């Protein structure tokens, strides 16, 4: 295409404005155009690999099976035990222990050396049930010797628990970790609650507990 002249040709008719029109076109910038920028091939391959890996992961992951992690309870474990007609549902002493005591005395019942005394093989646990119940009802603070070691900590009171709950947790700690002592009944807890009504605040260590004994 021949380059259009900048000026109207000499002698051009007044209505022949083609030349000046071309000049205006040349003055303007070119219209912007969209250029084609394809994704780099390695990025496309990376995306494809990620997608394939994701599909494989979902397909290969077992679902609906018992969890290998967590506390491994299933829905069946969480359902309250079906109580026999008329009976009050059984209270799980071990579960109560896990919720109320294990933070200090540990699930192993071994306590934490120098801080929280052991319950496994502890003379206070397998000894007189009245003393044991009293510790739970009112708490304990001051020096106490457990399995030859002296502790001086603070054991909170659990008097707000129901008689049945205290009986269940004490029966549990008296029968696990090799402990072998008679179960504690809710009636014993009730009787001891009444007998120690005058006790305000925690017992002052082992000496105060010994005074309770037979
Ligand atoms: C906050 C921590 C803590 C929690 C929770 C706790 N205890 Fe204790 N417990 C102690 C400490 C500390 C002592 C020792 C107190 C002392 O030194 O006078 C103790 C002492 C005892 C004793 C007497 C000593 C022994 O080891 O035989 C018994 C029995 C006992 N606890 C049972 C329980 C039970 C059952 C529960 C749950 C219902 C429980 N404790 C929850 C801290 C705790």
């Amino acid at each position: 295409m021949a380059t259009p002249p900048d000026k109207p040709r000499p002698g051009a008719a007044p209505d022949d404005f083609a030349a000046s029109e071309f000049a205006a076109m040349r003055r303007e910038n070119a219209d912007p155009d969209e250029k084609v920028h394809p994704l780099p091939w390695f990025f496309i391959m990376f995306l494809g690999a990620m997608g394939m890996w994701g599909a494989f992961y979902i397909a290969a992951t077992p679902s609906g099976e018992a969890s290998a992690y967590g506390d491994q309870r299933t829905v069946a474990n969480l359902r309250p035990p079906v109580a026999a007609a008329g009976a009050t549902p059984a209270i799980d002493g071990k579960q109560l222990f896990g919720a109320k005591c294990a933070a200090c005395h540990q699930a192993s019942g071994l306590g934490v050396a120098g801080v929280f005394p052991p319950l496994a093989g502890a003379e206070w646990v397998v000894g007189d049930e009245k003393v044991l119940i009293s510790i739970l009802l009112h708490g304990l603070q001051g020096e106490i010797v457990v399995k030859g070691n002296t502790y001086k900590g603070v054991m909170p009171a659990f008097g707000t628990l129901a008689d049945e709950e205290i009986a269940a947790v004490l029966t549990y700690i008296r029968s696990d970790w090799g402990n072998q002592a008679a179960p504690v009944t809710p009636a014993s807890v009730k009787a001891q609650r009444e007998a120690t009504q005058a006790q305000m605040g925690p017992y002052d260590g082992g000496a105060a507990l010994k005074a309770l004994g037979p």
Side-chain angles (χ1 to χ4, degrees):
M1 193 171 82
T3 311
D6 286 345
K7 293 183 174 135
R9 276 166 280 124
D15 59 338
D16 183 0
F17 51 85
S20 50
E21 188 185 34
F22 284 125
M25 278 173 70
R26 217 168 306 125
R27 205 171 54 234
E28 300 296 327
N29 287 329
D31 279 347
D33 65 309
E34 284 188 32
K35 297 194 182 79
V36 180
H37 293 293
L39 290 173
W41 62 268
F42 54 86
F43 188 68
I44 293 174
M45 281 186 53
F46 174 72
L47 286 184
M50 290 289 280
M52 270 154 62
W53 175 75
F56 167 77
Y57 184 85
I58 291 170
T61 303
S63 59
E65 287 166 25
S67 168
Y69 302 106
D71 65 5
Q72 314 210 343
R73 284 179 301 178
T74 63
V75 174
N77 295 132
L78 296 173
R79 272 196 202 111
V82 183
T88 46
I91 295 167
D92 187 344
K94 184 173 185 172
Q95 202 175 327
L96 255 177
F97 179 84
K100 305 276 182 194
C101 325
C104 296
H105 294 287
Q106 308 300 302
S108 61
L110 295 176
V112 175
V115 188
F116 302 121
L119 301 179
E123 58 270 41
W124 302 98
V125 175
V126 296
D128 183 23
E129 67 166 24
K130 287 202 176 75
V131 174
L132 182 57
I133 295 168
S134 304
I135 296 175
L136 270 269
L137 285 174
H138 301 288
L140 184 65
Q141 187 169 356
E143 260 177 39
I144 185 171
V145 178
V146 184
K147 291 176 84 177
N149 296 315
T150 305
Y151 294 84
K152 198 170 187 310
V154 179
M155 154 90 187
F158 289 90
T160 50
L161 294 181
D163 296 343
E164 291 78 10
E165 290 174 311
I166 292 181
V169 77
L170 293 185
T171 298
Y172 167 69
I173 66 170
R174 276 159 79 92
S175 62
D176 200 356
W177 318 303
N179 288 355
Q180 284 178 337
V184 174
T185 64
S188 309
V189 178
K190 185 167 189 275
Q192 194 62 12
R193 208 191 272 276
E194 279 157 16
T196 59
Q197 238 172 16
Q199 176 69 28
M200 293 291 157
Y203 290 101
D204 188 9
L209 291 175
K210 288 234 170 72
L212 285 170

